[in-house]
Amino acid sequence: MSDETKSCPTPSNAEPTATRSTVPMWVFSLTLVLLFLGFVYFDHHGGWFDERVYGPYASADQLDSYQPKSGAAAAIARGRKIYESNCGTCHGADGLGKPNQAPPLAGSEWVKAKGVQRLTHIPLMGIAGSITVESQTWNLQMAAMGAALPDADLAAVLTYIRSSWGNGMGEVTADDVKAARAAIGANPHPMSGDEMMKMPE
Amino acid sequence: MNDLSQQKIDASCRVPLLALFGGAALWLVVGLLLAVIASLTFHKPDMFADCPVLSYGHAQPAANDAILYGFCIPAALGVMLWIFARLSQTELVLPLVPIVAANIWHLGVFIGIVAILIGDSTGFAWLEFPRGSSVLLFAAFLLVAISAVATFGQRKERELYPSHWFLLAALLWFPWIYATANLLIVSGHPVRGVTQAVIGWWFANNLIFVWLSLVGLGTAFYFLPKLAGRPLQSSYFALFAFWTLILFGTWCGIPQGAPVPAWLPALSTVASSLLIVPLIAIAVIVVKTVCGADVHCKGGPFCYIKFGSAAFLLSGLMLIASACPHFSRIVQFTWFGPAQEQLQILGFFAIIICGAVYELLPRIMDFELPFPKFVRFQHWCFMLGIVLLAGSLAIGGIEQGLKNYDLATTLPFLRASTTGLLFLLLGSLLFAANIFVMTLKWKLALIKSVIAAVTAPLEVSEVKP
Amino acid sequence: MKNGISVFIAAFIALGASWCGFVLAPALQLGTAKQTAVLNSGDTYPVQRTGDATLGLQVYRANGCAACHTEQIQQTGIAFEVVLTGAGKNPDAVSNLISTLKLTGLTKEEADSANDKITAVGGKVETHLIPTGADISRGWGVRRSVAADYLYDSPVQLGSLRAGPDLADAGTRLNNASWHLLHLYAPQSVVKNSAMPPFRFLFETRKIGDAPSPDALNLPSEFAPPAGYEVVPKPEAKQLVAYLLSLHADVPLYEAPYTPVQISTNAPAK
């Protein structure tokens, strides 16, 4: 400390001052170049503020193209969307049904049946009157909620409900739906549960 | 400027600054001691297996917070008050307010450190203090800021000196980030999920990188020209550095692979690489101001500030490097990160603040340091300690990243870093010794003069009749 | 800058911008997140942790486990794999074709073209997505961590340093509660030369009463307490282990797609 004050010529009691030499142009140019490069980097890696895009993915389009498409997996993903807009209001997004509105699909023996004939008929014709689901009796009615859907879409919905919520059953193909439509013919009417039971699974 | 008025200005700062520095010196010792204790885990893992209070997960965050909140911020606030008084050429306005604030602040830190040690930490890095203590810190900061701004408002010289920008911005910065972080993640109703982490990163970066840089550079830009005996080169460079530092620096901090949407880390990466611009400007200022001065520092405050400025540039480069995509893949989650933080906190900030305290303390007390030799000795301890600490952690971190985060390969480096911490601890003891003996001497002198004042009239009255 | 106000305005602009970007925007974008769908199933993710596991997170926080452990898995890329699921009507042609094709470690384009070639000769294929990266090859997880993984955590303990392994998916790879208890009490009893500090203070060593406690740790002799004594976990230790077992970040999500080795049919807990 004392060493320093001795060797320091100016009284350090004076307040410091600053010179006024300007910043050279190249510093500004460098800043602009870096800003531009930064923009390019962000364009490639930033996902443009999409909340679903995480690194290493670059964009929502890329991520979309990576979603599983082939085989049953794709049908399930599509079926989920269709289910939520067509059936979910009554049967619930979780497939647990709603009291006095619709029986559950999760664990339902109608859904988990080995064959798909009854299952394809229900949304195409509707179902009314007393039916038993998971040893509980329901006495409501459902219109032909799936009749307006194209074959492939209805097949996707049914595949989705069969493979979700622990149901663990296999695929329903568009051909299955087509066959059921052909069997029903031009004039669908809601079937009763008993009528339905007469049909093979 | 006559010396008498300078003396008055300095004297007006005496008590508030002693209150801030005294606690700060103590926390520096405590913090480094805790850091040594934490690093003992890497020598003998089961050292504190039966003692939760000192186990690694308690001691390590407590050490970090004791150094940052206990030492760095209050000591810097003291230095800031003095710089404001000096630049304004007025006595400190409302000197009582910072005295009260200093006590509230140190009480808050005490509560916070105890809470961390007994397991009441909030679990967010650099924000571990529980609510009660954050409220105290926030209030104390505002009080000091009031006094600082009032002093600033009284200034005789209307034009601002570059240090003013850096320090004034820091006065706004801290309350804003501290209030945001505490309200949104420490309060009773925190934001949900990973947003907590994002706000935590934003806070930590704005405190450790931006706030410390603003205050450290503001202090350096005041003392460098003063000690070198030549003007700062130049005020436009400083203005450019100031703008680019706050504009780019505040966007850093979100790590590359963070589990958040890609735009957040991408923005941080871009901002970090842009930091090269303020770093260049600051390097130019420091080099141009220091070179050409025929002052030899010989381990005095000038040395402290020069070393601190160099450490700042290095830690800035490390920050940029660890945001660079390819390098970050190696060093993320390794000790390279802590190495950078320690370099910033201890190597840059603490050293500059210690240098400033040594420079201003004899002036405000109006007598020489009790142990002037300690100044040079501490400088050596700190330099060695920081090189050992940050150096071994940085190299160890790269090694760790290349070797699958295998702790076994990193242990030798961690053990070397303990030596660094011991040197730093020794240095901090010297610092504390100077401050405490100085305070003690002053108190004794005070008591003597009180006794003299009490006894003097008596003698007179005895003589008269 | 000529006066104090202009400095404040400068600071206000700079900090205000980053506040909007890094505080407000994430709070709006992520703060309202809800459960999301697990890919290819009707399940939603994440499920709320059990009571014990939620308390365990607080033990994890209080003891600063995050000082040494991260909970965030990194992923640097993604690879595709084409898998034959049915040979169709012309098995010879398909197997001939397959022997000439590269089917693993493909890019998206390569996978699509292999897919087209095989379906053209009548084979049935599926394309599998396989995330890549050092963490994934270390077996620390199957895909990168995303915001949904932390939806119900408070405080979120991402950590920033890996003295030990990443724990984001620890419950999947280490699913044995007694292993965890032994590891916490004496890491070296289950991991040779472990450098993790023991957490003996989460356990109680006590005299064996009428009968040994069913909770007592089954320690190897070098770590065992003296004869007549037993080591039992305190409630904190049990909660912590419940938390560690609840750490699963292993379901495929839209934002982090991958093909599970076997299509999962895990029913939601009811």
Side-chain angles (χ1 to χ4, degrees):
Chain A
M1 177 66 221
S2 46
D3 278 346
E4 181 178 315
T5 22
K6 263 177 231 148
S7 58
C8 175
T10 41
S12 28
N13 253 343
E15 292 313 307
T17 52
T19 64
R20 303 204 152 258
S21 51
T22 48
V23 182
M25 243 1 251
W26 67 267
V27 179
F28 288 105
S29 322
L30 177 71
T31 316
L32 289 180
V33 170
L34 283 175
L35 271 170
F36 174 73
L37 292 178
F39 178 80
V40 172
Y41 176 87
F42 185 81
D43 186 39
H44 279 85
H45 297 94
W48 283 103
F49 306 105
D50 193 309
E51 64 180 309
R52 295 162 310 165
V53 178
Y54 288 69
Y57 308 106
S59 67
D61 289 345
Q62 187 193 27
L63 198 55
D64 272 334
S65 78
Y66 285 1
Q67 299 301 315
K69 279 225 185 66
S70 56
I76 292 171
R78 202 155 57 91
R80 179 192 166 83
K81 285 197 188 133
I82 305 170
Y83 174 84
E84 276 168 4
S85 49
N86 286 283
C87 327
T89 37
C90 298
H91 292 284
D94 51 5
L96 293 179
K98 291 182 183 162
N100 297 323
Q101 238 185 21
L105 300 176
S108 155
E109 58 269 37
W110 296 89
V111 179
K112 288 173 73 172
K114 264 197 227 84
V116 295
Q117 200 170 346
R118 285 181 198 160
L119 183 61
T120 44
H121 275 73
I122 295 174
L124 286 174
M125 302 186 75
I127 184 165
S130 134
I131 61 165
T132 316
V133 181
E134 295 175 58
S135 55
Q136 212 186 328
T137 312
W138 296 73
N139 198 350
L140 301 164
Q141 50 181 331
M142 161 174 149
M145 297 310 301
L149 294 173
D151 292 348
D153 284 5
L154 185 55
V157 175
L158 296 176
T159 305
Y160 168 70
I161 63 176
R162 268 167 75 82
S163 60
S164 300
W165 313 308
N167 285 349
M169 298 301 292
E171 202 179 342
V172 178
T173 62
D175 290 342
D176 295 331
V177 178
K178 203 186 211 161
R181 239 192 254 273
I184 295 163
N187 189 14
H189 64 283
M191 278 211 230
S192 74
D194 292 341
E195 241 177 299
M196 201 58 96
M197 288 302 277
K198 286 192 198 111
M199 199 187 294
E201 279 199 349
Chain B
M1 272 171 251
N2 63 41
D3 266 7
L4 200 68
S5 73
Q6 299 298 342
Q7 252 178 15
K8 265 189 161 168
I9 295 172
D10 291 342
S12 72
C13 297
R14 183 179 301 151
V15 188
L17 262 56
L18 276 188
L20 285 162
F21 293 159
L26 190 67
W27 285 123
L28 184 59
V29 175
V30 171
L32 287 167
L33 198 64
L34 282 168
V36 172
I37 290 176
S39 82
L40 288 180
T41 300
F42 302 115
H43 299 254
K44 193 169 177 301
D46 62 352
M47 189 105 131
F48 300 108
D50 298 303
C51 171
V53 172
L54 294 181
S55 67
Y56 187 78
H58 295 231
Q60 173 60 30
N64 280 342
D65 284 0
I67 294 172
L68 182 66
Y69 291 99
F71 171 73
C72 290
I73 299 181
L77 287 177
V79 173
M80 199 190 284
L81 286 176
W82 184 77
I83 294 181
F84 273 178
R86 271 304 193 92
L87 283 176
S88 302
Q89 286 296 307
T90 58
E91 291 177 25
L92 194 64
V93 180
L94 303 172
L96 226 69
V97 175
I99 301 178
V100 176
N103 288 302
I104 300 180
W105 181 280
H106 289 306
L107 176 70
V109 175
F110 178 75
I111 297 176
I113 298 292
V114 171
I116 296 176
L117 290 179
I118 63 174
D120 249 345
S121 112
T122 63
F124 295 107
W126 303 108
L127 208 58
E128 286 95 348
F129 287 173
R131 261 168 271 165
S133 102
S134 325
V135 170
L136 292 180
L137 296 195
F138 186 71
F141 190 96
L142 285 189
L143 289 177
V144 177
I146 288 173
S147 171
V149 172
T151 311
F152 171 76
Q154 294 289 313
R155 69 192 185 282
K156 303 234 165 69
E157 169 80 67
R158 294 317 292 175
E159 199 178 343
L160 302 191
Y161 180 72
S163 295
H164 272 131
W165 315 326
F166 288 82
L167 299 180
L168 281 173
L171 284 181
L172 176 77
W173 222 264
F174 184 85
W176 188 340
I177 59 172
Y178 201 59
T180 300
N182 276 290
L183 288 176
L184 293 184
I185 63 184
V186 179
S187 75
H189 299 281
V191 291
R192 288 177 63 199
V194 84
T195 319
Q196 293 181 351
V198 176
I199 296 175
W201 283 317
W202 174 81
F203 168 78
N205 168 64
N206 270 299
L207 183 61
I208 296 184
F209 182 68
V210 184
W211 198 87
L212 292 189
S213 300
L214 283 176
V215 178
L217 291 173
T219 310
F221 289 171
Y222 178 84
F223 283 100
L224 277 180
K226 199 173 171 115
L227 297 172
R230 58 202 304 262
L232 190 74
Q233 316 276 332
S234 72
S235 99
Y236 287 117
F237 261 99
L239 186 63
F240 181 76
F242 173 74
W243 268 106
T244 46
L245 184 73
I246 59 173
L247 277 180
F248 304 147
T250 171
W251 289 90
C252 306
I254 309 236
Q256 285 268 310
V260 291
W263 65 270
L264 289 158
L267 276 182
S268 268
T269 305
V270 172
S272 309
S273 59
L274 281 164
L275 279 183
I276 197 77
V277 173
L279 284 188
I280 291 177
I282 291 160
V284 169
I285 298 173
V286 172
V287 169
K288 277 185 153 180
T289 308
V290 169
C291 294
D294 54 346
V295 182
H296 302 288
C297 64
K298 296 192 183 134
F302 195 34
C303 278
Y304 280 66
I305 310 235
K306 280 199 290 191
F307 181 84
S309 310
F312 171 77
L313 296 175
L314 189 58
S315 98
L317 289 177
M318 282 169 75
L319 186 79
I320 298 174
S322 50
C324 157
H326 291 286
F327 192 59
S328 89
R329 242 173 239 178
I330 301 174
V331 297
Q332 66 178 349
F333 308 134
T334 71
W335 260 282
F336 192 81
Q340 191 268 331
E341 281 169 353
Q342 298 301 343
L343 191 61
Q344 173 85 358
I345 295 175
L346 291 165
F348 155 60
F349 196 77
I351 256 199
I352 285 195
I353 294 299
C354 283
V357 169
Y358 278 139
E359 175 66 24
L360 63 82
L361 206 55
R363 297 171 197 281
I364 63 166
M365 303 304 291
D366 211 14
F367 56 83
E368 280 302 310
L369 290 173
F371 312 112
K373 286 232 170 62
F374 282 10
V375 178
R376 187 193 288 185
F377 197 35
Q378 184 196 344
H379 182 245
W380 280 107
C381 285
F382 265 40
M383 274 206 316
L384 216 75
I386 283 155
V387 170
L388 272 172
L389 175 70
S392 57
L393 288 185
I395 299 170
I398 295 174
E399 180 79 6
Q400 185 192 6
L402 293 173
K403 299 269 171 67
N404 275 327
Y405 301 106
D406 180 12
L407 190 56
T409 59
T410 334
L411 279 179
F413 297 97
L414 295 174
R415 292 178 182 158
S417 80
T418 312
T419 342
L421 284 171
L422 286 173
F423 276 111
L424 285 163
L425 182 62
L426 181 62
S428 73
L429 284 171
L430 302 176
F431 182 71
N434 253 327
I435 291 208
F436 287 130
V437 173
M438 202 132 181
T439 317
L440 213 65
K441 270 188 167 174
W442 169 70
K443 283 201 173 138
L444 285 178
L446 208 64
I447 292 172
K448 262 189 209 151
S449 67
V450 169
I451 293 175
V454 172
T455 48
L458 271 176
E459 284 166 35
V460 176
S461 58
E462 270 172 355
V463 173
K464 270 207 171 152
Chain C
M1 280 179 288
K2 290 271 181 286
N3 56 38
I5 301 296
S6 56
V7 177
F8 275 123
I9 292 175
F12 190 88
I13 293 172
L15 185 53
S18 89
W19 188 87
C20 291
F22 281 178
V23 176
L24 189 63
L28 296 177
Q29 192 177 56
L30 302 169
T32 54
K34 296 201 183 64
Q35 288 182 319
T36 50
V38 176
L39 277 188
N40 300 337
S41 97
D43 299 342
T44 45
Y45 179 80
V47 277
Q48 186 72 268
R49 291 188 206 287
T50 62
D52 256 5
T54 309
L55 292 172
L57 170 60
Q58 301 308 323
V59 182
Y60 190 91
R61 164 192 62 74
N63 289 298
C65 306
C68 289
H69 291 286
T70 54
E71 288 183 4
Q72 36 178 333
I73 297 157
Q74 308 287 302
Q75 176 184 336
T76 47
I78 187 149
F80 291 80
E81 197 178 277
V82 176
V83 178
L84 190 70
T85 52
K89 294 187 189 103
N90 198 347
D92 288 344
V94 172
S95 64
N96 280 342
L97 176 65
I98 293 226
S99 60
T100 64
L101 290 176
K102 185 171 161 249
L103 295 179
T104 52
L106 309 176
T107 65
K108 172 80 179 142
E109 289 68 33
E110 288 167 344
D112 284 347
S113 95
N115 198 326
D116 291 346
K117 281 183 195 150
I118 299 172
T119 29
V121 294
K124 268 189 150 185
V125 287
E126 267 180 29
T127 308
H128 288 184
L129 279 79
I130 297 156
T132 55
D135 285 4
I136 291 161
S137 35
R138 283 177 197 118
W140 287 352
V142 283
R143 57 142 172 91
R144 63 157 302 142
S145 294
V146 294
D149 295 332
Y150 313 92
L151 190 63
Y152 292 127
D153 290 356
S154 188
V156 172
Q157 294 287 283
L158 293 181
S160 62
L161 188 83
R162 286 178 176 169
D166 187 277
L167 297 181
D169 199 23
T172 309
R173 78 175 173 269
L174 304 163
N175 52 11
N176 179 337
S178 23
W179 186 92
H180 278 293
L181 287 169
L182 287 176
H183 184 253
L184 285 173
Y185 180 79
Q188 301 193 340
S189 69
V190 283
V191 178
K192 200 163 163 274
N193 292 332
S194 170
M196 164 149 152
F199 287 83
R200 288 203 289 268
F201 56 81
L202 295 174
F203 297 79
E204 192 186 343
T205 305
R206 62 177 188 206
K207 235 194 177 108
I208 300 182
D210 299 337
S213 156
D215 283 348
L217 297 195
N218 191 359
L219 286 158
S221 57
E222 41 181 327
F223 301 95
Y229 285 81
E230 62 181 1
V231 176
V232 287
K234 291 184 188 164
E236 292 97 302
K238 288 189 188 166
Q239 289 158 357
L240 181 58
V241 170
Y243 171 69
L244 292 173
L245 293 176
S246 78
L247 287 167
H248 296 284
D250 61 344
V251 296
L253 299 172
Y254 177 88
E255 58 270 39
Y258 79 99
T259 311
V261 182
Q262 150 194 50
I263 292 269
S264 65
T265 52
N266 43 340
K270 276 189 218 128

PDB file of all heavy atoms in Angstrom, chain C residues 40-57:
ATOM      1  N   ASN C  40     -49.296 -43.049 -29.582  1.00  0.00           N
ATOM      2  CA  ASN C  40     -49.845 -44.362 -29.899  1.00  0.00           C
ATOM      3  C   ASN C  40     -50.559 -45.035 -28.756  1.00  0.00           C
ATOM      4  O   ASN C  40     -50.538 -46.238 -28.634  1.00  0.00           O
ATOM      5  CB  ASN C  40     -48.744 -45.327 -30.355  1.00  0.00           C
ATOM      6  CG  ASN C  40     -48.062 -44.813 -31.573  1.00  0.00           C
ATOM      7  OD1 ASN C  40     -48.647 -44.016 -32.300  1.00  0.00           O
ATOM      8  ND2 ASN C  40     -46.847 -45.235 -31.789  1.00  0.00           N
ATOM      9  N   SER C  41     -51.139 -44.263 -27.865  1.00  0.00           N
ATOM     10  CA  SER C  41     -51.957 -44.913 -26.855  1.00  0.00           C
ATOM     11  C   SER C  41     -52.891 -43.877 -26.298  1.00  0.00           C
ATOM     12  O   SER C  41     -52.753 -42.689 -26.561  1.00  0.00           O
ATOM     13  CB  SER C  41     -51.094 -45.535 -25.766  1.00  0.00           C
ATOM     14  OG  SER C  41     -51.006 -44.652 -24.679  1.00  0.00           O
ATOM     15  N   GLY C  42     -53.858 -44.312 -25.545  1.00  0.00           N
ATOM     16  CA  GLY C  42     -54.804 -43.357 -24.987  1.00  0.00           C
ATOM     17  C   GLY C  42     -54.326 -42.824 -23.664  1.00  0.00           C
ATOM     18  O   GLY C  42     -55.022 -42.053 -23.019  1.00  0.00           O
ATOM     19  N   ASP C  43     -53.134 -43.219 -23.228  1.00  0.00           N
ATOM     20  CA  ASP C  43     -52.663 -42.800 -21.914  1.00  0.00           C
ATOM     21  C   ASP C  43     -52.210 -41.353 -21.933  1.00  0.00           C
ATOM     22  O   ASP C  43     -51.775 -40.843 -22.956  1.00  0.00           O
ATOM     23  CB  ASP C  43     -51.501 -43.685 -21.474  1.00  0.00           C
ATOM     24  CG  ASP C  43     -51.934 -45.133 -21.362  1.00  0.00           C
ATOM     25  OD1 ASP C  43     -53.161 -45.353 -21.296  1.00  0.00           O
ATOM     26  OD2 ASP C  43     -51.068 -46.016 -21.365  1.00  0.00           O
ATOM     27  N   THR C  44     -52.323 -40.726 -20.778  1.00  0.00           N
ATOM     28  CA  THR C  44     -51.792 -39.378 -20.685  1.00  0.00           C
ATOM     29  C   THR C  44     -50.565 -39.404 -19.801  1.00  0.00           C
ATOM     30  O   THR C  44     -50.361 -40.330 -19.015  1.00  0.00           O
ATOM     31  CB  THR C  44     -52.825 -38.412 -20.094  1.00  0.00           C
ATOM     32  OG1 THR C  44     -53.419 -39.026 -18.976  1.00  0.00           O
ATOM     33  CG2 THR C  44     -53.863 -38.051 -21.119  1.00  0.00           C
ATOM     34  N   TYR C  45     -49.752 -38.354 -19.939  1.00  0.00           N
ATOM     35  CA  TYR C  45     -48.474 -38.286 -19.242  1.00  0.00           C
ATOM     36  C   TYR C  45     -48.275 -36.861 -18.787  1.00  0.00           C
ATOM     37  O   TYR C  45     -48.657 -35.942 -19.504  1.00  0.00           O
ATOM     38  CB  TYR C  45     -47.368 -38.716 -20.206  1.00  0.00           C
ATOM     39  CG  TYR C  45     -45.984 -38.671 -19.608  1.00  0.00           C
ATOM     40  CD1 TYR C  45     -45.536 -39.701 -18.790  1.00  0.00           C
ATOM     41  CD2 TYR C  45     -45.156 -37.578 -19.846  1.00  0.00           C
ATOM     42  CE1 TYR C  45     -44.268 -39.646 -18.231  1.00  0.00           C
ATOM     43  CE2 TYR C  45     -43.892 -37.536 -19.288  1.00  0.00           C
ATOM     44  CZ  TYR C  45     -43.452 -38.572 -18.483  1.00  0.00           C
ATOM     45  OH  TYR C  45     -42.212 -38.529 -17.932  1.00  0.00           O
ATOM     46  N   PRO C  46     -47.660 -36.597 -17.665  1.00  0.00           N
ATOM     47  CA  PRO C  46     -47.215 -37.572 -16.652  1.00  0.00           C
ATOM     48  C   PRO C  46     -48.328 -37.868 -15.658  1.00  0.00           C
ATOM     49  O   PRO C  46     -49.317 -37.143 -15.617  1.00  0.00           O
ATOM     50  CB  PRO C  46     -46.092 -36.801 -15.965  1.00  0.00           C
ATOM     51  CG  PRO C  46     -46.508 -35.378 -16.066  1.00  0.00           C
ATOM     52  CD  PRO C  46     -47.281 -35.240 -17.335  1.00  0.00           C
ATOM     53  N   VAL C  47     -48.150 -38.901 -14.875  1.00  0.00           N
ATOM     54  CA  VAL C  47     -49.101 -39.144 -13.797  1.00  0.00           C
ATOM     55  C   VAL C  47     -48.533 -38.537 -12.514  1.00  0.00           C
ATOM     56  O   VAL C  47     -47.330 -38.475 -12.319  1.00  0.00           O
ATOM     57  CB  VAL C  47     -49.361 -40.644 -13.579  1.00  0.00           C
ATOM     58  CG1 VAL C  47     -50.388 -41.139 -14.555  1.00  0.00           C
ATOM     59  CG2 VAL C  47     -48.095 -41.453 -13.680  1.00  0.00           C
ATOM     60  N   GLN C  48     -49.442 -38.074 -11.691  1.00  0.00           N
ATOM     61  CA  GLN C  48     -49.052 -37.466 -10.414  1.00  0.00           C
ATOM     62  C   GLN C  48     -48.255 -38.492  -9.590  1.00  0.00           C
ATOM     63  O   GLN C  48     -48.575 -39.666  -9.589  1.00  0.00           O
ATOM     64  CB  GLN C  48     -50.355 -37.095  -9.703  1.00  0.00           C
ATOM     65  CG  GLN C  48     -50.218 -36.321  -8.423  1.00  0.00           C
ATOM     66  CD  GLN C  48     -49.791 -34.884  -8.633  1.00  0.00           C
ATOM     67  OE1 GLN C  48     -48.601 -34.599  -8.607  1.00  0.00           O
ATOM     68  NE2 GLN C  48     -50.724 -33.975  -8.827  1.00  0.00           N
ATOM     69  N   ARG C  49     -47.191 -38.013  -8.910  1.00  0.00           N
ATOM     70  CA  ARG C  49     -46.451 -38.944  -8.060  1.00  0.00           C
ATOM     71  C   ARG C  49     -47.286 -39.322  -6.845  1.00  0.00           C
ATOM     72  O   ARG C  49     -48.149 -38.560  -6.431  1.00  0.00           O
ATOM     73  CB  ARG C  49     -45.174 -38.287  -7.555  1.00  0.00           C
ATOM     74  CG  ARG C  49     -44.163 -38.046  -8.620  1.00  0.00           C
ATOM     75  CD  ARG C  49     -42.856 -37.562  -8.001  1.00  0.00           C
ATOM     76  NE  ARG C  49     -42.100 -36.763  -8.959  1.00  0.00           N
ATOM     77  CZ  ARG C  49     -41.463 -37.267 -10.000  1.00  0.00           C
ATOM     78  NH1 ARG C  49     -41.486 -38.556 -10.226  1.00  0.00           N
ATOM     79  NH2 ARG C  49     -40.809 -36.483 -10.828  1.00  0.00           N
ATOM     80  N   THR C  50     -46.967 -40.454  -6.249  1.00  0.00           N
ATOM     81  CA  THR C  50     -47.658 -40.844  -5.020  1.00  0.00           C
ATOM     82  C   THR C  50     -47.259 -39.891  -3.897  1.00  0.00           C
ATOM     83  O   THR C  50     -46.282 -39.146  -4.018  1.00  0.00           O
ATOM     84  CB  THR C  50     -47.248 -42.255  -4.597  1.00  0.00           C
ATOM     85  OG1 THR C  50     -45.847 -42.227  -4.328  1.00  0.00           O
ATOM     86  CG2 THR C  50     -47.559 -43.260  -5.685  1.00  0.00           C
ATOM     87  N   GLY C  51     -48.010 -39.920  -2.810  1.00  0.00           N
ATOM     88  CA  GLY C  51     -47.728 -39.032  -1.689  1.00  0.00           C
ATOM     89  C   GLY C  51     -46.307 -39.178  -1.168  1.00  0.00           C
ATOM     90  O   GLY C  51     -45.600 -38.196  -0.970  1.00  0.00           O
ATOM     91  N   ASP C  52     -45.878 -40.430  -0.977  1.00  0.00           N
ATOM     92  CA  ASP C  52     -44.532 -40.658  -0.458  1.00  0.00           C
ATOM     93  C   ASP C  52     -43.468 -40.112  -1.395  1.00  0.00           C
ATOM     94  O   ASP C  52     -42.502 -39.493  -0.967  1.00  0.00           O
ATOM     95  CB  ASP C  52     -44.305 -42.164  -0.279  1.00  0.00           C
ATOM     96  CG  ASP C  52     -44.390 -42.537   1.184  1.00  0.00           C
ATOM     97  OD1 ASP C  52     -44.720 -41.641   1.991  1.00  0.00           O
ATOM     98  OD2 ASP C  52     -44.128 -43.703   1.505  1.00  0.00           O
ATOM     99  N   ALA C  53     -43.672 -40.335  -2.694  1.00  0.00           N
ATOM    100  CA  ALA C  53     -42.677 -39.873  -3.660  1.00  0.00           C
ATOM    101  C   ALA C  53     -42.629 -38.356  -3.692  1.00  0.00           C
ATOM    102  O   ALA C  53     -41.559 -37.761  -3.847  1.00  0.00           O
ATOM    103  CB  ALA C  53     -42.989 -40.428  -5.043  1.00  0.00           C
ATOM    104  N   THR C  54     -43.784 -37.707  -3.521  1.00  0.00           N
ATOM    105  CA  THR C  54     -43.803 -36.243  -3.507  1.00  0.00           C
ATOM    106  C   THR C  54     -43.028 -35.731  -2.308  1.00  0.00           C
ATOM    107  O   THR C  54     -42.266 -34.768  -2.411  1.00  0.00           O
ATOM    108  CB  THR C  54     -45.249 -35.726  -3.466  1.00  0.00           C
ATOM    109  OG1 THR C  54     -45.964 -36.375  -4.501  1.00  0.00           O
ATOM    110  CG2 THR C  54     -45.314 -34.239  -3.662  1.00  0.00           C
ATOM    111  N   LEU C  55     -43.206 -36.395  -1.157  1.00  0.00           N
ATOM    112  CA  LEU C  55     -42.417 -36.006   0.013  1.00  0.00           C
ATOM    113  C   LEU C  55     -40.944 -36.293  -0.225  1.00  0.00           C
ATOM    114  O   LEU C  55     -40.065 -35.547   0.216  1.00  0.00           O
ATOM    115  CB  LEU C  55     -42.893 -36.778   1.242  1.00  0.00           C
ATOM    116  CG  LEU C  55     -44.294 -36.391   1.724  1.00  0.00           C
ATOM    117  CD1 LEU C  55     -44.747 -37.332   2.821  1.00  0.00           C
ATOM    118  CD2 LEU C  55     -44.287 -34.963   2.220  1.00  0.00           C
ATOM    119  N   GLY C  56     -40.678 -37.376  -0.942  1.00  0.00           N
ATOM    120  CA  GLY C  56     -39.294 -37.745  -1.239  1.00  0.00           C
ATOM    121  C   GLY C  56     -38.570 -36.672  -2.027  1.00  0.00           C
ATOM    122  O   GLY C  56     -37.373 -36.439  -1.824  1.00  0.00           O
ATOM    123  N   LEU C  57     -39.300 -35.985  -2.916  1.00  0.00           N
ATOM    124  CA  LEU C  57     -38.683 -34.891  -3.664  1.00  0.00           C
ATOM    125  C   LEU C  57     -38.167 -33.832  -2.693  1.00  0.00           C
ATOM    126  O   LEU C  57     -37.109 -33.236  -2.914  1.00  0.00           O
ATOM    127  CB  LEU C  57     -39.690 -34.289  -4.647  1.00  0.00           C
ATOM    128  CG  LEU C  57     -39.292 -32.991  -5.352  1.00  0.00           C
ATOM    129  CD1 LEU C  57     -38.028 -33.186  -6.165  1.00  0.00           C
ATOM    130  CD2 LEU C  57     -40.400 -32.501  -6.260  1.00  0.00           C
TER     131      LEU C  57
END
